[in-house]
Amino acid sequence: MTSVSGVADPSAADTSAAVPTVWRVLGAPLVPPAGTGPLDGLSVAVKDLFALEGFAVGAGNPARLAGAVPETTTAAAPAALLAAGASVAGITRTDEFAYSLAGTNAHYGTPPNPRAPGRISGGSSSGSASAVSLGQADVGLGTDTGGSIRVPAAYQGLYGIRTSHGAVSVEGLLPLAPSFDTVGWLTRDAATLAAVGEVLLPDAAGSSAGALANGAAASFTGISVPPELLALAEPGIGEAIRGFVAASELPREETDPFPVKDLPGWLAAFQTVQGFEAWQQHGTWVGAHPDSLGADVAGRFATASRITAEQAEAARDVLRSARQRIRTFVGGGLLVLPSASSAAPLLTEVAQSSALGGTTIDAVRRATMQLTCVAGIAGLPALSLPLVTPDGLPCGVSIVGPVHRDLDLLRLACRLSPR
């Protein structure tokens, strides 16, 4: 059998019904369960960064896929899901090397956004998100370095989680920037999101599973909803989040203002370290294949190639201080902020922006990354819950919690979500 890209994949089922912008290869299933357990009957869409035994990793780029060899082992995260009873439905599209938040792959196109037709899917876990949104998989396994779970979750009205840095093994995962790379996943409901977490996440010491299971809010000291962070998003996003907070009845926690004036500098440092590490990981390949990347990702790698080790170390100094300040701000509570600065941009807007050198979509990316970089810098877990703007468009609220309190966040999501 062949994948929808035309590259041979062993053991693949008929892919004639696959949406080529969503799936690289689709099976029935592609990989059967390796055991039985709490995920029996669930199907998983795996982002094209995770090793699956017998399949090459393409990372969203046809030249990279053509030169890659089949993997001999399966990455730790999908292996754990298979052992718990899930099957792998197929391998999904991603922005090239996961170095984008848009989902607009120059080679394979943009996956559909069923919740907001005519708008982009969000990335870089774009195919995994669309597969779940379309109902073609129960779980979208992906990664989140700078927002690649939270943004498509917000754009497509899904549940998603970026896990604490290091909480889920990245063994067998093609990296982008190891200082920030995390495993995450998307689902259509909170219960499934939590079920995956019970398999992938260690029940860290101090986790108050019993308290949340009984519906108590005492697990966290309270929630902080800084108006200065809500103001970084479009007004309709802030309105949806304020309505969510009011309905949640979670105890509010009085905090000092969030240091929003420092965010541009923190983001610049984040992007410097991300770019430096991305070039260390992929610069040799990119240099040997100069015409193989789409213009947006090629531009980011070109910028990354010019970052010196001294600049990266100076940026790390900034991030070390920022990390401590963010963790201190969060404390034992929850920080509430938008998952993305806007609803999903229209495909026509993105096309026009590309014709003008990407100015509009770059502005959207910068605005969103000022929000998403908070959890990334601090290495904290961030839950994205689906909301709707006053105009009826999907958006997301991000709830950032203390480090390694991922399971408590997931259990809280079940408590806050409609039954």
Side-chain angles (χ1 to χ4, degrees):
M1 298 292 178
T2 60
S3 75
V4 291
S5 66
V7 177
D9 269 315
S11 305
D14 181 12
T15 61
S16 59
V19 179
T21 57
V22 174
W23 298 98
R24 193 192 100 191
V25 57
L26 180 64
L30 187 68
V31 184
T36 60
L39 304 185
D40 284 353
L42 295 183
S43 59
V44 182
V46 177
K47 186 176 185 177
D48 192 12
L49 296 179
F50 291 91
L52 290 177
E53 183 180 359
F55 299 88
V57 173
N61 181 277
R64 207 257 179 210
L65 177 61
V69 298
E71 299 291 328
T72 58
T73 58
T74 293
L81 301 182
L82 290 166
S87 61
V88 170
I91 299 169
T92 54
R93 301 298 189 193
T94 174
D95 296 74
E96 293 175 276
F97 295 94
Y99 209 176
S100 175
L101 292 178
T104 52
N105 189 296
H107 309 285
Y108 303 118
T110 303
N113 183 341
R115 287 292 309 279
R119 295 176 181 267
I120 64 174
S121 58
S124 63
S125 302
S126 52
S128 293
S130 291
V132 171
S133 191
L134 287 165
Q136 296 176 354
D138 300 301
V139 179
L141 184 64
T143 62
D144 190 308
T145 301
S148 291
I149 288 286
R150 291 163 286 166
V151 172
Y155 285 1
Q156 298 199 46
L158 298 172
Y159 293 81
I161 186 168
R162 169 209 162 84
T163 54
S164 294
H165 193 263
V168 178
S169 174
V170 293
E171 179 186 354
L173 172 68
L174 186 72
L176 174 64
S179 290
F180 311 114
D181 293 343
T182 60
V183 173
W185 54 95
L186 307 109
T187 63
R188 293 185 297 277
D189 62 87
T192 304
L193 195 79
V196 174
E198 297 287 348
V199 170
L200 291 182
L201 290 161
D203 203 344
S207 175
S208 47
L212 279 178
N214 293 324
S219 171
F220 300 105
T221 57
I223 63 168
S224 173
V225 191
E228 55 272 18
L229 289 180
L230 296 190
L232 295 177
E234 293 182 351
I237 307 286
E239 185 176 339
I241 291 175
R242 285 188 288 271
F244 162 80
V245 171
S248 72
E249 299 182 352
L250 290 171
R252 296 290 289 269
E253 185 174 36
E254 294 301 322
T255 61
D256 293 331
F258 189 88
V260 69
K261 65 179 177 58
D262 295 317
L263 271 178
W266 290 356
L267 175 58
F270 177 94
Q271 291 178 317
T272 295
V273 174
Q274 180 191 39
F276 181 79
E277 293 187 358
W279 188 255
Q280 298 304 303
Q281 296 292 331
H282 304 298
T284 299
W285 188 92
V286 171
H289 301 79
D291 300 319
S292 297
L293 295 171
D296 57 339
V297 176
R300 290 186 196 110
F301 272 114
T303 299
S305 71
R306 297 188 290 269
I307 299 170
T308 67
E310 292 75 18
Q311 289 171 326
E313 190 52 40
R316 288 192 178 102
D317 286 339
V318 173
L319 294 180
R320 279 188 278 269
S321 173
R323 177 188 181 97
Q324 184 57 48
R325 290 177 66 188
I326 295 168
R327 287 194 175 193
T328 298
F329 187 93
V330 172
L334 301 170
L335 172 62
V336 175
L337 69 164
S339 296
S341 66
S342 68
L346 290 163
L347 287 164
T348 52
E349 292 175 339
V350 174
Q352 291 167 357
S353 173
S354 298
L356 296 172
T359 52
T360 302
I361 194 65
D362 286 345
V364 170
R365 174 184 169 84
R366 280 194 302 273
T368 289
M369 286 197 70
Q370 280 198 96
L371 296 163
T372 59
C373 77
V374 171
I377 289 169
L380 298 179
L383 183 73
S384 186
L385 302 181
L387 300 178
V388 179
T389 71
D391 294 333
L393 292 172
C395 65
V397 57
S398 184
I399 304 177
V400 177
V403 68
H404 295 307
R405 296 290 299 279
D406 308 57
L407 281 175
D408 283 350
L409 272 181
L410 290 167
R411 293 161 183 156
L412 181 63
C414 293
R415 176 175 167 246
L416 295 174
S417 301
R419 294 286 192 271

